[in-house]
Amino acid sequence: MATIHDIAKELNITASTVSRALNNHPRISEATKKAVLKVAKRLNYQPNHIAAALRNGRSNIIGIIVPTADRSFFGSVIRGIEEVAKRAHYNVMICQSHDDYESEVSTVEALLNARVDGIMASFAKNTENFDHFKKVHDKGIPLILFDRSFSGLDVSQVVIDDYLGAYQATEHLIQQGCRRIAHFTSVKKISIYKERLRGYKEALEAYNIPYRSELVLESYLQFEDGIEGLNRLLDLEEWPDAIFSASAYSAVAALAACKERGIAVPNQIAIVGFANEAFTSFCDPPMSTVDQQSMQIGTAAAEIFLEQITVGRDRFVPKRIVLTPELIIRKSSLKNPMKFSEK
Amino acid sequence: MATIHDIAKELNITASTVSRALNNHPRISEATKKAVLKVAKRLNYQPNHIAAALRNGRSNIIGIIVPTADRSFFGSVIRGIEEVAKRAHYNVMICQSHDDYESEVSTVEALLNARVDGIMASFAKNTENFDHFKKVHDKGIPLILFDRSFSGLDVSQVVIDDYLGAYQATEHLIQQGCRRIAHFTSVKKISIYKERLRGYKEALEAYNIPYRSELVLESYLQFEDGIEGLNRLLDLEEWPDAIFSASAYSAVAALAACKERGIAVPNQIAIVGFANEAFTSFCDPPMSTVDQQSMQIGTAAAEIFLEQITVGRDRFVPKRIVLTPELIIRKSSLKNPMKFSEK
DNA sequence: TGTAAATATGCAATCGATTGCGCACAATTC
DNA sequence: GAATTGTGCGCAATCGATTGCATATTTACA
C-alpha cells in the first residue's frame, strides 16, 4: 500500500510536504497540492488512520457498549449515534455486554486499549459497581451514559423521563376505568425501573387508588417472565384489570398468555408496555406502549460527545438530557374506542 | 497514561524487555515477568493497541457494513459476528450504508483507512457496481459477504438457501389448498430476491399451477409497500388466496391491511413472510415465516474470517456457506390446524 | 539596492509497541 | 578446560503520519 513517502519520492519532495498538501495546509503552494493529489490518486493512496491516530492521540472512534445489539431499541440508538458521528468523521465500535457485569468490565478495558475517543454505554442489568466507568471518566475520556444510567457518576447522560412515561401510562389505564393495575418491574437498582415504578405509584396515588404490593412483580422482563407474571396475577383471589409492564417483551407475552386463556384484552385486562419495539404495533390487539425516542437518544448522545470534544475536557460540564417519552395508545388499553383516536 | 517505557524506567530495564515480558516471551525470566506485571498494574498500564496495530500492520478490528443496524435481522448477524470475533480478540466496527450505494462506497473507504483486518458486508439495495468491494479483495483484505451477496466476486459468502426457503414456503401454501398465490418480491438484481422468486416459481411448476405475472409485485418491501401490494391484488378480478412475501415487513403490512378490510387470514388469504423478525410471532394471527438463521450467518462469517486469517491469504480458498432456512409454520397460513403442530 | 516580510519546503523528532540481531554470561558437554 | 548450547536482555530500526522549527527562495517596500 502506498504511503506519503511513496508519493514524496515520486515528486522529489519530502513526506512533510505531502502530508501538508493532503491536509490542505495554507503554506503549501497550489501547484504542489495538485501534483500531490494527482500522484496520490494514481498510486491509490489510502491514508493510514492508525498512524495518524498514534501520532495525534486521537483514533476518531467512538466506543458503544450495549447489552445486546439485536434489540430494536439499541439498534436504533446505535443508528442515531452513527448518523451523527459519521458527519464528524468518527466511526463507531460496537460491543455487547450481554447484560453481564464481568463482560462489561472487560469490554471497557478493550475500548480503552483501542484508544477510543469516547464511550457511550448502557449498563448491564447486574452492574452495581461503576469503577470501570469511573476509570474512563478519570482518564478524561468522554463518557456518555444512556437509558440505563447512574447518577452517582459525574458524567453526561441521555435518558427519557421514565417517571413521566410510567405516570402517563398508568394514568391512561386509570382513565380507562382500571382500578387494579398490576406492574411488571425489574431490578430496582436500575434507575429506569425505579423511576417507572415511581411513576406508577404516584399515578395511583394521584387518583386515590391504593398501592398493592401483590400486584407489582419483579423479574428480568423477558418473554417468559411475562407469562409467568400473568400466571401469578391470575392466581390472586382478585384478578387485576390492567397491566403496565416496564418492558415490551413481557407485555406482549402477557398479552399472548391472556389470549391463550381466553381473557379479553383490553376489556378484562388492559395492557400497556414500554419501548416501542416494532412488534408492539403488530400484535393483536396492537399494544399501547411508551415510546422511548430511541433514535433521538443516540443522536443526543453523539452530539454531547462532539460538544465535549470541541469545548475541551476542562471547560465541559456534564449534561443530563431528559427526553420526553410519548405514550402511544393502541387497542390493548383502549376500552372506549370512541374517545381516542387510534394511532 | 503509562507506557512500556515508564515501566522500563521504574525497573531499570529496556522497553524491549517490558514488551517481551508482557507478551510472555520465553526468553524472559519469570522474575522479570513478575516484576513487570507488578509495576504495570501499579501504574495502571493500558496497552496502546493503536501503536501495536501500526507496528504489526493488524488492527484487530473487523469492519461490518449493513444497510441499517436497527433491524432485528442485521442486529442478530452483528451479534453473531461479535460473539465469535471477541473470542479471537477482534473488535467490530459497525457502519450503515442506509441502503445507499454512494454511502456504501465511502464506508468501504473509511474502513480501509481504519485499516480493518477484514470486512463483512451486506449490499445496499441499489448497489450494482462492485468495484469498491473488488478493491478490498484485491488489497488482500478478507471480505465476506452475507445475505445480500453477489457471486461475481471471488470472495467468501454466507447466505441461506433462499430458493429452498421460498420453495418450501410456497409448497406449504399449496398444500394448504391455495392455488392463486401472490408473491411480493424486490429488486431483481439482488440475488436473494431472484432466488426467492425462483423458488416460488418452481414450486408452482412442480404442482402444475400456472405462473401469473399479475400476482408478482415488485417493491422495496417496506411496510407501506405491503399495504399497497395488497390493494393492488384486491383490484384484480380474481383475488389471490395466498401471499408469499420476500420480507417480513410487507407481509405483516398485508396482514394488517387484510384485517382492516375484514378479510380472513388465513382462510381467505393465507400469508407467509420471510425473516423471522420478533414481531412476526406476535401479530395476529401469528405469521408463518422463513427463518433466516441470522445469528448463524454472523458466526459463520466470523469463522470464515478467522480461518482466512490463519490459513493466509494465498492458500485460502473462498468459501460459500449456504445455511438452510427453516420454515416456521404459524397460524397465518394454517388452514387446517389439525394437520400441523404449531410452533 | 538592501532588507524585512512572506512564501514554500525540508529536517528530524515524535507517538508506543514490536522484533531481528547481537552480546554477555551461565550451564552443559566431551 | 575448551567448546558448545542456552538464557536473559539491550540496541536500534520500524510502522506511517504529523508538526515545531529551521532554511531557502521570493516578493515587497523603503
Side-chain angles (χ1 to χ4, degrees):
Chain A
M1 291 212 200
T3 71
I4 51 171
H5 294 93
D6 300 325
I7 300 177
K9 223 170 278 173
E10 290 255 343
L11 293 167
N12 272 321
I13 53 179
T14 59
S16 327
T17 305
V18 174
S19 171
R20 290 194 176 101
L22 290 171
N23 291 308
N24 205 23
H25 192 286
R27 295 289 273 275
I28 299 295
S29 71
E30 287 305 320
T32 308
K33 284 180 187 171
K34 249 179 214 165
V36 166
L37 247 30
K38 200 172 158 190
V39 176
K41 186 149 201 174
R42 180 159 52 80
L43 296 185
N44 195 14
Y45 169 74
Q46 304 259 155
N48 187 329
H49 282 182
I50 298 224
L54 177 59
R55 167 68 215 223
N56 296 328
R58 294 183 304 107
S59 62
N60 275 67
I61 296 174
I62 297 173
I64 303 180
I65 304 175
V66 291
T68 170
D70 64 354
R71 280 249 295 281
S72 150
F73 171 70
F74 290 117
S76 294
V77 175
I78 290 172
R79 177 173 172 170
I81 295 173
E82 214 251 350
E83 235 143 82
V84 173
K86 200 170 184 178
R87 267 182 252 136
H89 303 287
Y90 280 90
N91 281 109
V92 303
M93 190 177 271
I94 314 282
C95 298
Q96 306 177 88
S97 68
H98 298 292
D99 252 330
D100 174 57
Y101 168 71
E102 302 290 343
S103 167
E104 183 176 280
V105 172
S106 69
T107 293
V108 168
E109 198 84 358
L111 289 177
L112 288 177
N113 292 347
R115 291 300 194 270
V116 295
D117 293 343
I119 292 181
M120 306 186 182
S122 193
F123 294 150
K125 274 197 179 164
N126 62 348
T127 296
E128 297 177 14
N129 179 310
F130 303 98
D131 288 350
H132 50 311
F133 285 114
K134 205 168 290 173
K135 188 170 160 187
V136 173
H137 183 236
D138 290 347
K139 278 185 191 293
I141 295 167
L143 171 63
I144 294 136
L145 300 174
F146 61 88
D147 192 47
R148 298 193 200 155
S149 176
F150 171 62
S151 45
L153 287 169
D154 184 34
V155 302
S156 293
Q157 299 176 36
V158 182
V159 295
I160 60 159
D161 191 337
D162 288 285
Y163 165 79
L164 180 66
Y167 188 99
Q168 289 179 342
T170 310
E171 183 175 46
H172 161 64
L173 287 169
I174 295 170
Q175 286 169 347
Q176 292 297 307
C178 301
R179 286 299 173 271
R180 284 182 64 80
I181 302 171
H183 179 46
F184 290 169
T185 183
S186 188
V187 192
K188 293 221 187 58
K189 273 166 195 143
I190 302 184
S191 69
I192 59 173
Y193 299 120
K194 205 161 55 187
E195 284 297 289
R196 290 173 197 177
L197 179 58
R198 191 167 69 86
Y200 161 79
K201 277 184 179 170
E202 297 205 2
L204 292 183
E205 207 177 310
Y207 287 84
N208 288 316
I209 299 174
Y211 171 85
R212 295 175 201 281
S213 60
E214 72 270 24
L215 292 179
V216 176
L217 304 180
E218 182 175 331
S219 71
Y220 274 115
L221 297 176
Q222 301 302 306
F223 192 81
E224 303 72 34
D225 299 315
I227 294 176
E228 156 99 19
L230 184 80
N231 288 338
R232 291 220 344 240
L233 290 174
L234 298 186
D235 281 346
L236 296 176
E237 296 206 357
E238 214 176 331
W239 283 10
D241 54 12
I243 299 173
F244 164 51
S245 166
S247 123
Y249 285 88
S250 54
V252 170
L255 173 61
C258 279
K259 275 163 79 174
E260 189 127 333
R261 289 190 176 225
I263 296 170
V265 176
N267 288 333
Q268 279 180 276
I269 296 183
I271 303 180
V272 175
F274 216 104
N276 191 17
E277 296 277 326
F279 58 77
T280 58
S281 63
F282 300 141
C283 54
D284 179 64
M287 175 79 65
S288 297
T289 194
V290 179
D291 185 273
Q292 291 175 286
Q293 317 283 346
S294 40
M295 191 121 123
Q296 286 88 326
I297 290 180
T299 53
E303 274 155 11
I304 291 181
F305 166 77
L306 293 178
E307 191 189 323
Q308 182 162 2
I309 287 293
T310 52
V311 166
R313 40 194 66 166
D314 330 307
R315 287 189 299 131
F316 179 78
V317 188
K319 276 190 168 179
R320 182 182 160 85
I321 291 195
V322 180
L323 299 172
T324 304
E326 185 190 356
L327 177 62
I328 297 179
I329 298 172
R330 300 199 186 100
K331 290 188 182 161
S332 73
S333 65
L334 210 52
K335 297 205 178 178
N336 181 359
M338 297 298 111
K339 263 180 76 180
F340 297 85
S341 69
E342 187 189 345
K343 177 144 190 176
Chain B
M1 291 213 200
T3 71
I4 52 171
H5 294 94
D6 301 323
I7 299 176
K9 222 170 278 173
E10 289 255 342
L11 293 167
N12 271 321
I13 53 178
T14 61
S16 328
T17 305
V18 174
S19 172
R20 291 192 175 102
L22 290 171
N23 290 308
N24 204 24
H25 193 287
R27 295 285 277 274
I28 300 294
S29 72
E30 287 306 318
T32 308
K33 284 181 187 171
K34 250 180 212 161
V36 167
L37 249 28
K38 200 172 157 189
V39 176
K41 185 148 202 175
R42 179 158 54 79
L43 296 185
N44 195 16
Y45 169 75
Q46 303 258 156
N48 187 329
H49 283 181
I50 299 221
L54 177 58
R55 166 68 216 222
N56 296 329
R58 294 183 303 108
S59 62
N60 276 69
I61 295 175
I62 297 172
I64 303 180
I65 304 175
V66 291
T68 169
D70 65 354
R71 280 251 296 280
S72 150
F73 171 70
F74 291 117
S76 294
V77 175
I78 291 172
R79 177 172 172 169
I81 294 173
E82 214 250 352
E83 233 144 85
V84 173
K86 200 169 184 180
R87 268 183 250 133
H89 303 287
Y90 280 89
N91 281 109
V92 303
M93 191 176 269
I94 312 283
C95 297
Q96 306 177 87
S97 67
H98 298 291
D99 251 329
D100 173 58
Y101 167 70
E102 301 291 342
S103 167
E104 184 178 278
V105 172
S106 69
T107 293
V108 167
E109 198 84 356
L111 289 177
L112 287 177
N113 294 346
R115 292 298 194 272
V116 295
D117 292 344
I119 292 181
M120 306 186 181
S122 194
F123 294 150
K125 272 194 180 165
N126 62 347
T127 295
E128 297 178 14
N129 178 309
F130 303 99
D131 288 350
H132 50 310
F133 285 116
K134 207 169 288 172
K135 188 170 161 188
V136 172
H137 183 234
D138 289 348
K139 279 185 190 291
I141 294 167
L143 171 63
I144 295 136
L145 300 174
F146 60 88
D147 192 46
R148 296 194 200 153
S149 177
F150 171 62
S151 45
L153 287 169
D154 184 35
V155 302
S156 293
Q157 299 177 36
V158 181
V159 296
I160 60 161
D161 190 337
D162 286 284
Y163 165 80
L164 180 66
Y167 188 100
Q168 289 179 343
T170 309
E171 182 175 46
H172 159 65
L173 287 169
I174 296 171
Q175 286 170 346
Q176 293 296 306
C178 302
R179 285 298 172 270
R180 284 183 63 81
I181 301 171
H183 178 45
F184 290 169
T185 184
S186 188
V187 192
K188 293 224 187 55
K189 274 167 194 144
I190 302 185
S191 69
I192 59 173
Y193 299 119
K194 204 161 55 188
E195 284 297 289
R196 289 173 199 178
L197 178 59
R198 190 167 69 87
Y200 161 80
K201 278 183 180 170
E202 297 206 0
L204 292 183
E205 206 177 312
Y207 286 84
N208 289 315
I209 299 175
Y211 171 84
R212 297 176 198 280
S213 59
E214 73 269 24
L215 292 179
V216 175
L217 304 181
E218 182 175 331
S219 72
Y220 274 116
L221 298 178
Q222 301 301 307
F223 191 82
E224 304 70 34
D225 299 314
I227 294 176
E228 155 99 20
L230 185 79
N231 289 337
R232 292 212 355 231
L233 290 174
L234 298 186
D235 281 346
L236 296 177
E237 296 205 359
E238 213 177 333
W239 283 10
D241 54 11
I243 298 173
F244 164 50
S245 166
S247 121
Y249 284 88
S250 55
V252 170
L255 173 60
C258 278
K259 274 163 78 175
E260 190 128 330
R261 290 188 174 227
I263 297 171
V265 176
N267 288 334
Q268 279 179 276
I269 296 183
I271 303 180
V272 175
F274 216 103
N276 190 16
E277 295 277 326
F279 58 77
T280 58
S281 62
F282 299 142
C283 53
D284 179 63
M287 175 80 64
S288 297
T289 194
V290 179
D291 185 272
Q292 291 176 283
Q293 317 283 349
S294 40
M295 190 122 126
Q296 285 89 325
I297 290 181
T299 54
E303 273 156 11
I304 290 181
F305 165 77
L306 292 178
E307 191 189 324
Q308 182 163 1
I309 287 291
T310 52
V311 167
R313 40 193 66 165
D314 330 306
R315 287 189 299 131
F316 179 79
V317 188
K319 277 191 169 178
R320 182 181 159 84
I321 291 195
V322 181
L323 298 173
T324 304
E326 187 190 356
L327 176 63
I328 298 180
I329 299 173
R330 300 200 186 100
K331 290 187 182 160
S332 74
S333 67
L334 209 53
K335 298 205 177 179
N336 181 357
M338 295 296 109
K339 262 181 78 179
F340 296 83
S341 69
E342 187 191 344
K343 176 143 190 178

